Amino acid sequence: MSLTLADLWSLEAYARQRPEFRARVMAHKKQRTVHVGKHLTLLFEDRLTVQYQIQEMLRIEKIFEPEAIQEELASYVSLIPDGDNWKATLLIEYAEVPVRQRMLVRLKGIERALWLQVEGFEPVFPVADEDMERENAEKTSAVHFLRYTLSPSQRSAVRSGAALTAGVNHPEYPVIHFVLEESVRQSLSSDITA
């Protein structure tokens, strides 16, 4: 599931491939996006979503030197699942800036309160922001990177069709739990090895 320099298109080649590739990635992301209430979104990353992110960064920044491309790769490849986990980008979304600022104070710690549960097992809480601290003494950040590590038994159950439930336990956010859609469960099951 790794991604290397050889897997990326040059800027010129990407310009030609971009419309079709972008459409494919957007459809793929729909099967990997989970909304937890109105203001929390989990985007489960994988090799394809990370490749798209890197290609877009290279395009926007007009990066073409191999060393600079390698730096971009190094920044993003840790978001690709390792076979025993899911990795997700958490977005805390409030449209109005003053409301968002107020809620980021109130929601401190929410990045560790979003759980996933494989049917028949205890909930799994994430490890948040392994790359860098995104929370300070006053508030949390609007973007977090989460890793949910599964036991061999949990992975086997998911691969065999066990339902997945998502939820959040935080005093400043409504208690929510729900079963993920089957299309999302199937997409996530492809990230793990039994």
Side-chain angles (χ1 to χ4, degrees):
M1 288 203 248
S2 66
L3 194 63
T4 67
L5 189 62
D7 298 314
L8 301 175
W9 289 300
S10 69
L11 292 178
E12 296 82 10
Y14 185 58
R16 290 189 298 272
Q17 298 287 335
R18 186 174 183 260
E20 181 182 316
F21 183 61
R22 186 175 190 285
R24 184 171 64 129
V25 172
M26 292 304 115
H28 180 70
K29 280 185 174 187
K30 284 184 182 178
Q31 303 307 313
R32 302 183 65 81
T33 301
V34 175
H35 298 285
V36 184
K38 293 179 181 179
H39 304 288
L40 304 178
T41 299
L42 287 169
L43 170 58
F44 287 91
E45 306 287 358
D46 67 357
R47 187 179 188 278
L48 186 62
T49 65
V50 170
Q51 180 180 355
Y52 176 73
Q53 182 66 32
I54 293 170
Q55 293 283 181
E56 285 294 302
M57 289 301 297
L58 298 177
R59 176 181 167 272
I60 292 165
E61 300 290 331
K62 297 184 180 17
I63 297 171
F64 59 87
E65 298 91 356
E67 299 80 20
I69 295 171
Q70 200 61 52
E71 287 177 20
E72 290 296 325
L73 272 166
S75 296
Y76 288 99
V77 293
S78 64
L79 293 175
I80 299 174
D82 301 320
D84 68 349
N85 57 46
W86 290 308
K87 296 186 179 179
T89 301
L90 166 63
L91 305 171
I92 302 174
E93 302 171 303
Y94 289 87
E96 297 179 22
V97 173
V99 174
R100 182 171 57 246
Q101 290 172 335
R102 186 170 60 252
M103 290 309 296
L104 290 177
V105 171
R106 292 178 59 191
L107 293 175
K108 191 171 180 314
I110 198 161
E111 64 276 10
R112 294 178 299 278
L114 282 159
W115 51 266
L116 296 174
Q117 183 174 16
V118 178
E119 182 180 14
F121 294 89
E122 291 296 313
V124 176
F125 288 86
V127 174
D129 305 318
E130 294 175 286
D131 62 334
M132 66 186 291
E133 191 63 40
R134 295 178 186 277
E135 172 182 82
N136 62 35
E138 291 82 39
K139 66 180 184 69
T140 193
S141 171
V143 178
H144 294 277
F145 300 101
L146 311 180
R147 176 177 49 88
Y148 294 91
T149 300
L150 305 174
S151 70
S153 299
Q154 289 169 319
R155 296 193 311 266
S156 180
V158 171
R159 298 287 292 182
S160 298
L164 288 175
T165 302
V168 61
N169 296 343
H170 191 280
E172 295 293 331
Y173 199 80
V175 174
I176 295 171
H177 67 278
F178 57 94
V179 176
L180 300 185
E181 293 179 22
E182 178 60 16
S183 60
V184 174
R185 191 204 67 76
Q186 285 180 5
S187 184
L188 294 181
S189 75
S190 68
D191 292 348
I192 55 175
T193 56

